[in-house]
Amino acid sequence: MPKNVRRGYVESDYQQFAGRTLISLQQAAEEVQYLLNHGYPIKQVTTFVGNHYLFSERQRLALSRSISTDQAIDIRNKKLVKEETLVGKTVHVDGFNTIITLEVALSGSLVLECRDGCIRDLAGLRGTYRMIEQTETAVHLVFHQLEQWGVTKAVVYLDQPVSNSGRLGQLIKLVATEYKLEAEVEIRCDVDPVLETMENVITSDAIILNKCISWCNLTQALLQKISTEVWKVRL
């Protein structure tokens, strides 16, 4: 695996998401949420607010990923299951979504604590993926936490069109043998539509969260345990 790769790292983040700039972003986030709650579409809202504050594209992306309408947040909160309800259950894991965010966090790169409680990243790999030094640690964290929660089975879904999905699937299967739960890996082209019909879903994908039966916030739980190592920003 490639060494010393920091997933999602952008040096300018230290200026774009800190100090007075962060305060401006947080103020802008309030304005974005207000406009979203009044029915304006996210793309136009982030363009309008971003132009006003002269934000970069990365800052605008952070706003769009962090902010949801009050209605959407309420829907997601009502479907969020507590960890004690997962004993003896099967969970359905959005593989790339979960693992990449953990890789970003473990790399010391910026992650966002969003207003719906999810942790999201700005990595934006878009179909191209390579395993890095933190990948195996991320997978171990997932299975260790699921084992602690008493989950009996985890089905991990990987997007077939994404490069190296097969290699990641093999690593997931290997790591899973060290834990006391059954694990399956499904590599398919229709991951999102499948997860939208499931319960006990692990993802931060907003569309899936809006449509799935129920979900659990695994990434948030994990990052709370390693919080001293994580660069987490809330807008």
Side-chain angles (χ1 to χ4, degrees):
M1 295 182 189
K3 303 294 183 182
N4 300 321
V5 174
R6 294 183 65 178
R7 178 82 78 208
Y9 175 74
V10 174
E11 187 174 357
S12 62
D13 283 350
Y14 292 109
Q15 288 75 46
Q16 295 193 74
F17 297 92
R20 292 182 179 179
T21 306
L22 178 57
I23 293 172
S24 294
L25 275 166
Q26 291 167 337
Q27 179 178 335
E30 294 294 334
E31 296 168 13
V32 168
Q33 185 152 21
Y34 176 85
L35 291 170
L36 290 182
N37 284 336
H38 284 78
Y40 292 93
I42 184 66
K43 185 173 179 59
Q44 284 87 332
V45 168
T46 53
T47 297
F48 175 74
V49 175
N51 287 345
H52 175 72
Y53 285 92
L54 301 178
F55 287 151
S56 69
E57 288 301 315
R58 189 165 173 85
Q59 290 168 318
R60 298 176 195 213
L61 177 61
L63 287 171
S64 67
R65 291 184 66 75
S66 295
I67 312 303
S68 304
T69 65
D70 290 343
Q71 182 182 26
I73 293 172
D74 184 57
I75 289 170
R76 295 168 200 171
N77 284 339
K78 288 178 179 176
K79 294 193 285 186
L80 178 63
V81 297
K82 296 181 179 179
E83 59 190 63
E84 56 265 27
T85 68
L86 295 174
V87 177
K89 299 289 183 63
T90 296
V91 297
H92 302 272
V93 184
D94 190 351
F96 280 115
N97 176 281
T98 302
I99 291 168
I100 288 171
T101 301
L102 289 172
E103 289 173 342
V104 171
L106 292 168
S107 296
S109 303
L110 173 72
V111 293
L112 303 167
E113 184 175 18
C114 303
R115 296 197 173 193
D116 60 359
C118 289
I119 303 294
R120 297 187 175 93
D121 62 77
L122 298 173
L125 299 182
R126 297 185 180 181
T128 302
Y129 175 83
R130 293 179 65 192
M131 290 190 291
I132 61 174
E133 191 173 3
Q134 292 81 9
T135 305
E136 187 170 342
T137 301
V139 177
H140 274 287
L141 284 172
V142 170
F143 280 100
H144 178 71
Q145 186 64 71
L146 294 178
E147 183 181 71
Q148 285 194 324
W149 283 350
V151 170
T152 55
K153 182 177 179 180
V155 184
V156 182
Y157 299 82
L158 299 175
D159 301 88
Q160 189 173 44
V162 177
S163 58
N164 292 306
S165 55
R167 290 185 63 203
L168 179 59
Q170 291 174 354
L171 175 64
I172 291 169
K173 290 177 183 177
L174 179 63
V175 169
T177 61
E178 301 182 31
Y179 297 90
K180 297 176 181 178
L181 66 155
E182 183 183 353
E184 291 181 7
V185 175
E186 293 197 17
I187 302 175
R188 51 196 303 163
C189 294
D190 58 346
V191 169
D192 288 10
V194 169
L195 289 173
E196 288 168 6
T197 68
M198 296 291 184
E199 62 181 357
N200 301 329
V201 174
I202 295 171
T203 188
S204 67
D205 186 300
I207 296 175
I208 296 173
L209 293 176
N210 289 342
K211 296 182 179 180
C212 68
I213 298 170
S214 62
W215 68 289
C216 46
N217 202 345
L218 175 71
T219 306
Q220 177 71 278
L222 288 174
L223 295 195
Q224 286 175 349
K225 292 185 174 182
I226 57 173
S227 58
T228 56
E229 307 169 27
V230 176
W231 181 16
K232 189 165 56 175
V233 168
R234 181 173 178 84
L235 300 184

